[in-house]
Structure formats: structure tokens, C-alpha cells
């Protein structure tokens, strides 16, 4: 999972001692597994009774074939060494995936691209507590622990850095900026703390590093340091409680550092709106000068540091005491705003270089509609060992592949083509998936049914957490009813999912590989995991290794298997059901809800939402109509599968597939032409926490701040633009001409 621009991280990582902190291992775990098997058997049996048709029998078989040993073996093999994109270790991981696919007798291939990656060459950070004192250097090293089986491989872990950070040296007083929001900088200004030319110190936990460094730069900072505060990532909650961390607890050790990327767009920075090419091939690329001036680059030197280093810096700071919400946890020093008197000297030299990345594919050719694609994807490259991020997802995907191969041996062939994708360089800027989607854009636009992403499959306990475009809601619910919840064996994934509010979230932000499919092309998409990021404080650090997963993430690998089951079943239904199981009625009601939200916020202002409200009503009618048509078609005499019937099914499926495309707009979002989807995209500086309509939200934000005629007119314009997209989608569902 890369970081997600313009959005909030799902949750600040607050201390939340979870009941299953041992991850559910031991005797209790075994008892749960026995119950889990019983429920699986019962569900498989009931599925046979309910759905006696051929593909459904294969789907039931698929569910019965889950193997935690297979998932664990793949995960262990993939995470023996750290494997950052562009390195030999990641090429070896690509060969591992290719071999896994081929040995299951699926046609498999690699598509390489040469793209601009960014590596650290030199880093140094020193602290001078006050004038005249000696500068104290930080070691900038994440420490291994006694008995760490990965200690030797840890030497290969990339130095802690921010990809695409500007190179340079800055020595200046430090200013403390809390979680690094623009509001935090506004607060500093209100207290008379001048950030210009200073080094801003911000902490992770609320927004992503790209936004933090952007906000620091916007406030005039000459450099930025981002640390992980022990309060949010360090473990040991209450008063007098001893802090515990990995390997004794799931928390981040004091020297742990969360690395990340600072590039603000998606894809190869040298080919911003078009596909890249392989080494030795010719494609247009931006020059180093173009890139140096690009607004998508951070433009200032920045470095992530550990909780320990962050605290050392804070201890050396003076100035006014920071407000209570800006303070640290139990045992932390008093945080002050600065500036100084401590001076930080940050020197960073990076190497931005073209490197080869490799996407690996397996293709399971469809029997009846080979030209319709159901695409499953996960990235393979990792900042360190990648045991959770992303190879918990890779292990689940390879476990699915193993089951599909067994189905194939029993005679199953999907109706439509299923493509399994192992993406590269996701961590740098979703590069592998973006370049491939850009290169195949028009073919995907005319043939892709859905893109099903799993990045991290398991964070820890917490049940199934899907986010999706709303026409997939019903399918997600139906599939999750077929899979027992490994943590609550008397319940299904559906039961525990429905206890979350909301059970299914949306795909407004991205931060992972569905962005190009959904937000650039308009392919219905989902992304899901078991548990949430708050269970996983070792995110993007040295400690994201197999031992962490075995102890805390998923000791028996049952959560991996559960995610593989629901992910694979959704893919199978999309590939095999004669009529694509999309329901646009839920899309219409979702958009109606989101609109209500915004209308409420604009009460009394000179703007009308009725164009949007009308278009949503129209969508609701079209969705209801096609749903009825589908029922009628399904009720037709199945023994009369004439050519005419086949064409009718195909025509209806095309309308269902293409309706999502209609939400896109060729020009794209205001000032962000790569983002074509008018409903779902991350929104710049989203203070409203909205779930949809990024450009309406930002125009509303501006209008409410400035209250000028001009600004309200521009909001009205955005409302019309979205309304037109929604009307286009209704027209596609209707399938007629005016
Ligand atoms: C900052 O550190 C760099 C690298 O060690 C050094 O070359 C430079 O002179 C230092 N700058 C100041 C102002 O101390
Ligand atoms: C940058 O990386 C390229 C490719 O690996 C290498 O040839 C070059 O020497 C590196 N430059 C520096 C300054 O490290
Ligand atoms: C798979 O599950 C079984 C039954 O709970 C358990 O005994 C076994 O250790 C698990 N395998 C792995 C690799 O976790
Ligand atoms: C379906 O069509 C076949 C062939 O015309 C006919 O024999 C059969 O009775 C029909 N079944 C139904 C339920 O209408
Ligand atoms: C916005 O501007 C209008 C017209 O100038 C004025 O009547 C209204 O009070 C303003 N509203 C706010 C909240 O400032």
C-alpha cells in the first residue's frame, strides 16, 4: 500500500489493546478452526442446494479448497529478502511469481517498463541543541533484535528515506507542526511562529507523508522531518504500563522508521499522461529539468525518522508549549512549538534513475467470452520484507491461483477471461499498474468487466473491510455470506462486515493499484483487506516481516485464506455468471446519500443542486429498469439458448459493463487531467471527509471560504459537470438513443 494523496489515513494509530492481541493462536485458535471447518462444510452443502447449475458447483468446490499452508509457504518464500522495485531481489520475486503461475499450467508472462525510481545515496542528520554546542549526529538506522532470523537479510534493507525527496543540505532551526495539516501551519502562524526557511518536524498518524511535506513546503519550510510518535505507534497504553514492541508485541520499536514516497501523482514521473516503455525502446519522456519544476515533486529535502529521534529533537526545542492535542503520550517530554533553539542539519542526496520494473501476469482464457476480462491484482514490490504490505495479498492471490488450477483439472473453464496481475513499483507511485493500464487503456475500456484489488490482505484482527464502486455491493455481500469468519467461526464474513459502519466504504482515495483502472479508465473496482491499518504499526518499516505476521498478523493463516475465498469467489461470479452480477440501484442510492450530505452544507448559499438530484433520479430509474430486464431474461426458457438469446445477454452485459465508464470525462478533474472519474478520486485538501464528487467538494470548499459570486458560479459549473456524467451513465444503462 502506497500512501494516499489528499486523504486521511483511515485512522490515527491510537492505542487500542485488541482482545486478539495474540492474533488468535493457541488452543483457542484451534477450537475456532474446528468450528470454522464445520461452518465451511455447512455453507458448501447449502450452496449446492441453492445453486445447482454447473459453474456454481465449481464455485462451491473453490471455497472448499482453501489452504493456509499454501498461503504461508508463498508468503515465507516471497519475504526472505527485502525487495524494493528495480532491485535484483525484486526481479527474483517476479521470477518466483512467474514460476508459480506456470507450474499451475497457466500461460504467464512478464511485461517490463523502464521507469524513474528514486534511491538514497547519502543521508545525514545532526542536531545542535543551541548555539556553540557540538552537533550530534543521528545514526538513522533501524535496529534488529537479539535472535532476529532476518538480521542478516536486514543489511539489504534500503536506508530510511523518502523516494523523490529533493537533494540538498539545509541547516536551520526546527519548528514543530503536529500531524502536518495545513491547519497546523495556520495555527503556528496564529501563534507567531514563522516556518519560513525552517526545518518542519511533523508526526505520522493522520495524513500521508506526501501531504505533510507539501504542506510544510507551502508554509515556507526549507526541509521536513517526519517521525512516528510513540503515542500513536509505540505500544504500552496506560499510566505505568511498560512499553512493549516487536518482537514482544505488534508495536513499532523505538528505532523503527516508516518510509514512503513523496511523488504526488500516479505512474512513471517521466511519462505523466501516457505509457512508459521498456529499456531500449523509444517513448517520449519528460527531461530532468521538466521534472525539477514539476508540481508533483516535493521540491524540498525531507527525511523520515524514528520515534526515538523525533523525541530527541523535541526535547531540544524551546518556544511556547504546544496545545494539548499536539502533545505526546505517557512519559513523553513537553512538546514546544519552537522555532529552535535546536538547529537541524539535514543533508540528503538521492539518485533518480531509470530502472526496470516487471509486471507478471497469468491469463486464464475464457471459453465463451474470451474478450471480456475480470482482472485480479496485487503488487509485489515492498519497501522492506513486505510480509504484510503487500505480500500478504500476493500470498492470497497465489493461493487463489492454486485453487483455480484444481478447478481447471476438474474441467472448469471460465466463461470470461480471468487475468491475475502481480504489479511492480506500487510503492513509488502505483507505477506498474498505471503504466500497464495507460498502455492498454482503450482495450481495457472496451473489455474490462471489473478490477479486483487486494494490496494488504491481512492487517490483523477486525473482519472483512471492503471498499468498492457501489454496483459491486450486492455481489460483495453475497460472496461474503459464503465464507466463515475465521475470528468468529459461528458467523460469516458477511455478519461481521455488516457490524461495521458503513460495512462497505468507497474508493474516493486510492493509495493502491485500483487508481488507474477506476479513476483513469472507469472500470468498476474494489479493494479489500481483513482488519485495518491500526492493527499494523510496523507499516513500511524494517519489521514488516514473516515473524510479525506469524506472531501478530495471522498466526494460523486462516485470515489469508478467508480473504482469498471471498476475493476468488467474487472473481468467479463475475467471470462465470451469464449476466454480470452488477446492481446499479445501490449506485443511485449511494450517490443520493452523498448529495444530501453536500446539500446540507450549502444551505442558504446561491447554488442549486437540482441538476445533480435530477440526474440521480434518472440513474435510479435506469438502474431499476435494467434490473427488471435482467430478471425477465433470466426467467426465459433456458433450453432455448438461441443465437438471439446469446446476443441479448451480451448486449445487456455491455450496458452493465460500460455504465461505469460513463462517469469519466475526457478532460478529467480540474487541474488534474489524469483523474477522469467524476464521482471517485482523492480530493485535494478534503476537509469535508466526503465520499464522492471530488471537484464539487473542492469548489464548495473554495466558495465557502471566499463567498464570491465567481466562486459560487464555479461550484455550479462543477455540479453540472457531475450531473452530465451521471446522466451519461443512465443513458448507457438504458441503451437507447435520443
Ligand atoms: C550540514 O551537514 C553537511 C553534511 O555533513 C555539511 O557539509 C554542512 O557543512 C553542514 N552545514 C552546516 C551549516 O553545518
Ligand atoms: C544512480 O543510479 C545509476 C543506476 O543504478 C548508477 O549508474 C549511478 O551511478 C547512480 N548515481 C549515483 C550518484 O549514485
Ligand atoms: C493451518 O491451520 C491448521 C489448523 O488450525 C494449523 O494446525 C496449522 O498450523 C496452520 N498452518 C499454518 C502454516 O499456519
Ligand atoms: C422450454 O422449451 C422447450 C423446447 O421448446 C420445451 O420443450 C419446454 O417445455 C420449455 N420449458 C418451459 C418451462 O417452458
Ligand atoms: C456571502 O455573501 C453574500 C452576498 O455578498 C452575503 O449576503 C452573505 O451574508 C455572505 N455569507 C457569509 C456566510 O459570509
Amino acid at each position: 500500500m502506497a500512501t494516499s494523496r489528499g486523504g486521511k489515513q483511515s485512522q490515527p494509530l491510537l492505542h487500542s489493546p485488541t482482545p486478539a492481541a495474540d492474533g488468535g493462536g493457541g488452543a483457542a485458535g484451534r477450537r475456532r478452526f474446528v468450528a470454522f471447518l464445520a461452518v465451511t462444510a455447512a455453507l458448501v452443502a447449502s450452496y449446492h442446494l441453492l445453486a445447482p447449475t454447473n459453474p456454481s458447483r465449481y464455485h462451491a468446490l473453490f471455497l472448499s479448497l482453501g489452504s493456509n499452508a499454501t498461503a504461508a509457504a508463498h508468503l515465507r518464500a516471497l519475504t526472505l529478502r527485502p525487495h524494493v522495485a528495480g532491485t535484483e531481489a525484486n526481479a527474483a520475486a517476479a521470477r518466483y511469481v512467474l514460476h508459480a503461475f506456470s507450474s499451475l499450467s497457466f500461460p504467464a508472462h512478464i511485461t517490463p517498463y523502464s521507469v524513474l525510481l528514486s534511491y538514497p545515496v547519502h543521508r545525514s542528520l545532526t542536531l545542535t541543541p543551541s548555539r556553540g554546542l557540538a552537533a550530534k549526529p543521528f545514526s538513522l538506522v533501524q535496529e534488529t533484535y537479539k535472535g532476529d532470523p532476518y538480521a542478516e537479510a536486514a543489511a539489504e534493507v534500503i536506508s530510511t528515506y523518502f523516494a523523490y525527496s529533493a537533494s540538498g543540505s539545509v541547516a536551520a532551526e526546527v519548528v514543530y507542526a503536529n500531524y502536518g495539516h495545513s491547519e497546523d501551519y495556520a495555527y503556528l502562524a496564529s501563534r507567531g511562529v514563522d516556518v519560513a526557511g525552517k526545518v518542519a518536524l511533523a508526526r505520522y498518524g493522520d495524513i500521508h507523508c506526501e501531504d505533510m511535506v507539501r504542506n510544510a513546503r507551502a508554509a515556507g519550510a526549507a526541509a521536513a522531518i517526519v517521525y512516528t510518535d510513540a503515542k500513536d505507534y509505540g505500544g504500552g497504553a496506560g499510566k505505568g504500563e511498560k512499553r512493549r514492541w516487536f518482537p514482544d508485541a505488534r508495536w513499532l520499536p523505538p528505532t523503527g522508521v516508516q518510509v514512503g514516497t513523496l511523488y504526488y501523482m500516479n505512474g512513471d514521473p517521466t511519462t505523466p499522461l501516457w505509457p512508459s516503455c521498456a529499456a531500449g525502446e523509444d517513448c517520449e519522456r519528460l527531461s530532468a529539468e521538466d521534472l525539477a519544476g514539476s508540481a508533483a515533486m516535493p521540491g524540498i529535502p525531507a527525511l523520515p525518522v524514528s520515534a526515538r529521534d523525533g523525541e530527541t529533537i523535541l526535547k531540544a526545542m524551546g518556544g511556547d508549549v504546544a496545545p494539548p492535542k499536539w502533545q505526546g503520550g505517557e512519559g513523553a517530554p513537553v512538546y514546544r512549538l519552537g522555532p529552535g533553539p535546536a538547529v537541524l542539519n539535514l543533508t540528503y542526496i538521492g539518485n533518480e534513475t531509470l530502472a526496470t520494473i516487471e509486471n507478471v501476469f497469468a491469463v486464464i482464457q475464457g471459453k465463451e467470452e474470451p474478450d471480456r476480462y475480470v482482472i485480479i491484482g496485487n503488487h509485489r514490490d515492498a519497501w522492506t520484507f513486505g510480509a504484510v504490505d503487500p505480500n500478504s495479498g500476493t500470498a492470497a492471490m497465489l493461493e487463489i491461483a492454486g485453487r483455480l488450477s484444481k478447478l481447471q483439472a476438474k474441467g472448469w473453464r471460465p466463461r470470461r477471461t480471468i487475468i491475475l496481475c502481480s504489479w511492480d513499483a506500487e510503492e513509488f507511485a502505483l507505477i506498474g499498474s498505471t503504466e500497464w493500464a495507460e498502455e492498454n487503456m482503450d482495450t481495457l475500456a472496451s473489455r474490462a468487466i471489473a478490477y479486483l484489488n487486494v494490496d494488504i490482505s491481512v492487517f490483523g484482527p477486525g473482519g472483512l473491510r471492503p471498499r468498492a464502486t457501489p454496483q459491486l455491493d450486492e455481489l460483495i455481500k453475497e460472496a461474503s455470506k459464503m465464507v466463515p469468519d475465521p475470528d468468529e467461526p459461528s458467523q460469516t464474513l458477511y455478519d461481521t462486515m455488516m457490524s461495521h459502519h458503513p460495512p462497505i466504504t468507497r474508493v474516493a482515495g486510492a493509495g493502491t493499484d485500483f487508481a488507474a483502472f477506476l479513476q483513469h479508465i472507469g472500470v468498476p473496482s474494489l479493494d479489500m483487506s481483513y482488519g485495518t491499518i491500526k492493527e499494523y504499526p510496523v507499516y513500511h518499516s524494517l519489521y514488516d516481516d514473516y515473524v510479525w505476521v506469524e506472531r501478530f498478523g495471522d498466526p494460523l493463516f486462516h485470515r489469508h485464506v478467508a480473504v482469498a475465498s471471498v476475493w476468488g469467489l467474487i472473481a468467479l461470479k463475475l467471470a462465470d455468471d451469464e449476466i454480470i452480477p452488477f446492481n446499479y440501484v445501490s449506485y443511485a442510492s449511494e450517490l443520493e446519500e452523498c448529495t444530501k450530505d453536500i446539500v446540507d452544507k450549502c444551505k442558504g448559499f446561491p447554488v442549486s443542486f437540482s441538476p445533480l438530484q435530477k440526474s440521480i433520479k434518472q440513474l435510479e430509474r435506469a438502474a431499476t429498469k435494467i434490473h427488471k430486464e435482467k430478471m425477465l431474461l433470466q426467467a426465459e426458457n433456458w433450453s432455448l439458448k438461441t443465437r438471439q438469446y446469446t446476443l441479448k445477454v451480451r448486449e445487456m452485459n455491455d450496458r452493465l459493463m460500460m455504465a461505469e465508464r460513463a462517469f469519466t470525462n475526457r478532460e478529467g478533474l480540474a487541474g488534474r487531467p489524469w483523474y477522469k472519474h467524476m464521482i471517485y478520486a482523492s480530493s485535494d485538501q478534503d476537509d469535508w471527509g466526503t465520499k464522492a464528487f471530488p471537484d464539487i467538494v473542492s469548489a464548495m470548499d473554495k466558495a465557502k471560504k471566499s463567498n464570491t459570486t465567481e466562486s459560487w458560479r464555479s461550484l455550479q459549473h462543477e455540479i453540472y459537470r457531475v450531473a452530465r456524467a451521471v446522466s451519461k451513465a443512465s443513458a448507457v444503462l438504458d441503451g437507447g438513443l435520443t
Side-chain angles (χ1 to χ4, degrees):
M1 184 171 67
T3 50
S4 162
R5 282 146 287 270
K8 288 189 160 225
Q9 210 165 17
S10 355
Q11 302 266 341
L13 298 173
L14 299 177
H15 290 158
S16 57
T18 50
D22 73 343
R30 275 188 296 281
R31 274 198 304 281
R32 284 211 285 272
F33 189 71
V34 173
F36 169 88
L37 287 179
V39 177
T40 308
L43 283 170
V44 168
S46 69
Y47 199 54
H48 269 289
L49 293 176
L50 289 174
T53 59
N54 248 346
S56 302
R57 269 207 288 278
Y58 285 116
H59 299 176
L61 179 61
F62 173 83
L63 291 178
S64 72
L65 291 172
S67 161
N68 65 336
T70 304
H74 283 307
L75 187 68
R76 192 188 280 278
L78 284 160
T79 58
L80 290 173
R81 295 169 66 193
H83 47 287
V84 171
T87 63
E88 165 48 33
N90 202 38
R95 289 192 296 274
Y96 177 85
V97 172
L98 185 73
H99 180 258
F101 286 152
S102 319
S103 65
L104 294 168
S105 62
F106 294 133
H109 68 278
I110 287 181
T111 304
Y113 295 98
S114 177
V115 303
L116 193 78
L117 300 183
S118 163
Y119 302 111
V121 174
H122 173 80
R123 312 155 305 144
S124 76
L125 181 68
T126 65
L127 173 73
T128 310
S130 59
R131 213 179 285 278
L133 291 183
K136 175 188 170 297
F138 292 96
S139 72
L140 306 177
V141 170
Q142 305 185 77
E143 287 167 9
T144 55
Y145 55 92
K146 201 160 170 279
D148 182 351
Y150 292 100
E152 202 173 310
E156 288 178 38
V157 166
I158 198 160
S159 302
T160 53
Y161 80 122
F162 281 133
Y164 307 104
S165 160
S167 291
S169 189
V170 172
E173 285 179 328
V174 56
V175 166
Y176 174 53
N178 192 27
Y179 290 109
H181 283 281
S182 44
E183 291 77 16
D184 295 328
Y185 289 100
Y187 176 80
L188 285 171
S190 78
R191 297 289 301 267
V193 178
D194 186 8
V195 180
K198 307 286 191 304
V199 177
L201 174 70
R203 55 181 177 180
Y204 277 113
D206 207 12
I207 58 174
H208 285 288
C209 50
E210 304 142 61
D211 293 303
M212 279 193 266
V213 173
R214 249 174 119 79
N215 292 341
R217 187 189 183 192
I225 305 281
V226 181
Y227 79 104
T228 40
D229 199 302
K231 174 179 148 191
D232 301 318
Y233 295 82
K239 243 190 169 28
E241 206 175 301
K242 198 172 172 313
R243 277 198 201 292
R244 290 165 72 236
W245 52 76
F246 186 68
D248 301 322
R250 68 193 161 98
W251 299 98
L252 185 67
T255 63
V257 176
Q258 187 182 129
V259 306
T261 183
L262 300 182
Y263 182 61
Y264 206 69
M265 264 294 309
N266 299 331
D268 178 0
T270 69
T271 62
L273 281 161
W274 62 91
S276 187
C277 56
E281 288 174 6
D282 179 39
C283 54
E284 182 185 2
R285 292 185 189 274
L286 296 187
S287 66
E289 295 77 58
D290 294 333
L291 283 167
S294 158
M297 288 292 178
I300 56 173
L303 203 62
V305 302
S306 66
R308 195 175 67 186
D309 293 351
E311 192 169 308
T312 303
I313 297 169
L314 282 156
K315 273 183 182 155
M317 291 181 67
D320 290 345
V321 172
K325 279 193 177 154
W326 291 40
Q327 293 297 328
E330 180 72 17
V334 173
Y335 294 177
R336 293 173 180 275
L337 302 177
V343 168
L344 283 176
N345 180 354
L346 162 63
T347 302
Y348 176 78
I349 298 169
N351 187 5
E352 273 74 65
T353 179
L354 287 177
T356 291
I357 62 164
E358 298 175 301
N359 294 329
V360 186
F361 301 91
V363 181
I364 308 174
Q365 190 82 0
K367 195 165 72 183
E368 278 132 76
E369 299 184 81
D371 62 338
R372 290 293 177 267
Y373 308 139
V374 174
I375 306 168
I376 291 179
N378 153 267
H379 73 99
R380 185 185 63 255
D381 67 299
W383 281 127
T384 65
F385 294 95
V388 174
D389 182 6
N391 300 123
S392 61
T394 321
M397 183 167 82
L398 295 179
E399 204 268 327
I400 291 176
R403 296 196 225 179
L404 295 182
S405 160
K406 288 185 179 143
L407 296 195
Q408 210 169 36
K410 294 220 184 278
W412 167 81
R413 286 277 304 280
R415 177 187 177 91
R416 305 184 180 89
T417 296
I418 297 176
I419 306 175
L420 306 173
C421 316
S422 167
W423 307 120
D424 204 346
E426 187 267 1
E427 295 296 1
F428 284 82
L430 322 181
I431 295 178
S433 59
T434 300
E435 297 313 314
W436 189 78
E438 287 173 348
E439 184 169 35
N440 296 286
M441 177 157 177
D442 295 285
T443 308
L444 292 170
S446 57
R447 297 178 166 198
I449 303 287
Y451 176 68
L452 312 173
N453 194 66
V454 169
D455 182 323
I456 291 165
S457 71
V458 180
F459 287 103
L464 186 69
R465 307 282 178 159
R467 46 179 176 158
T469 47
Q471 77 277 61
L472 285 163
D473 286 5
E474 205 172 281
L475 177 58
I476 293 169
K477 288 178 182 170
E478 199 188 325
S480 63
K481 281 179 187 165
M482 307 308 300
V483 182
D485 188 327
D487 287 12
E488 300 285 342
S490 63
Q491 299 194 314
T492 63
L493 288 179
Y494 171 82
D495 301 319
T496 44
M497 178 179 85
M498 294 311 284
S499 70
H500 306 144
H501 299 288
I504 300 172
T505 58
R506 297 303 161 206
V507 276
T512 187
D513 291 304
F514 66 77
F517 292 90
L518 175 68
Q519 298 171 349
H520 191 58
I521 305 182
V523 177
S525 296
L526 68 73
D527 180 54
M528 59 189 171
S529 61
Y530 196 96
T532 65
I533 194 159
K534 76 181 204 304
E535 303 298 336
Y536 169 55
V538 299
Y539 174 66
H540 284 187
S541 78
L542 169 69
Y543 311 101
D544 181 7
D545 66 14
Y546 189 86
V547 176
W548 192 92
V549 172
E550 219 179 13
R551 290 200 188 165
F552 308 108
D554 193 10
L556 297 171
F557 285 86
H558 296 161
R559 295 170 188 150
H560 281 76
V561 172
V563 171
S565 289
V566 70
W567 188 15
L569 184 59
I570 289 169
L572 281 170
K573 293 186 77 60
L574 287 165
D576 284 338
D577 283 13
E578 192 166 48
I579 300 174
I580 301 168
F582 284 166
N583 186 340
Y584 281 89
V585 178
S586 26
Y587 221 127
S589 33
E590 171 72 19
L591 297 189
E592 201 176 334
E593 280 307 306
C594 295
T595 305
K596 269 188 204 142
D597 247 31
I598 300 179
V599 170
D600 284 350
K601 284 168 184 150
C602 290
K603 276 225 169 76
F605 286 105
V607 62
S608 162
F609 282 88
S610 80
L612 180 58
Q613 287 160 328
K614 273 190 203 142
S615 72
I616 293 171
K617 284 279 171 246
Q618 194 188 349
L619 180 66
E620 194 186 319
R621 281 195 298 274
T624 309
K625 187 164 152 256
I626 196 167
H627 193 65
K628 281 187 189 143
E629 274 181 67
K630 173 178 166 175
M631 297 302 183
L632 286 175
L633 197 57
Q634 276 172 333
E636 273 180 29
N637 188 336
W638 283 52
S639 61
L640 293 175
K641 292 207 173 168
T642 57
R643 187 178 152 71
Q644 196 193 359
Y645 173 86
T646 310
L647 286 174
K648 245 162 96 175
V649 168
R650 174 84 173 196
E651 189 273 339
M652 176 177 294
N653 280 337
D654 281 354
R655 285 188 272 148
L656 290 165
M657 172 178 73
M658 295 306 289
E660 182 78 40
R661 250 63 110 206
F663 291 124
T664 63
N665 172 320
R666 275 175 209 276
E667 289 75 49
L669 297 179
R672 296 190 295 163
W674 186 86
Y675 290 95
K676 311 273 182 217
H677 204 283
M678 305 302 288
I679 315 281
Y680 292 121
S682 58
S683 104
D684 265 336
Q685 297 288 324
D686 180 0
D687 299 337
W688 302 93
T690 47
K691 303 165 213 98
F693 312 133
D695 272 0
I696 292 184
V697 169
S698 50
M700 172 176 74
D701 194 24
K702 285 196 195 105
K704 292 192 80 164
K705 277 184 186 142
S706 69
N707 193 23
T708 59
T709 314
E710 175 72 4
S711 67
W712 290 109
R713 279 187 52 190
S714 108
L715 171 58
Q716 192 66 62
H717 170 67
E718 294 304 339
I719 293 169
Y720 274 117
R721 283 217 309 159
V722 175
R724 287 195 290 272
V726 176
S727 297
K728 278 201 300 156
S730 315
V732 172
L733 283 180
D734 276 335
L737 295 168
T738 56

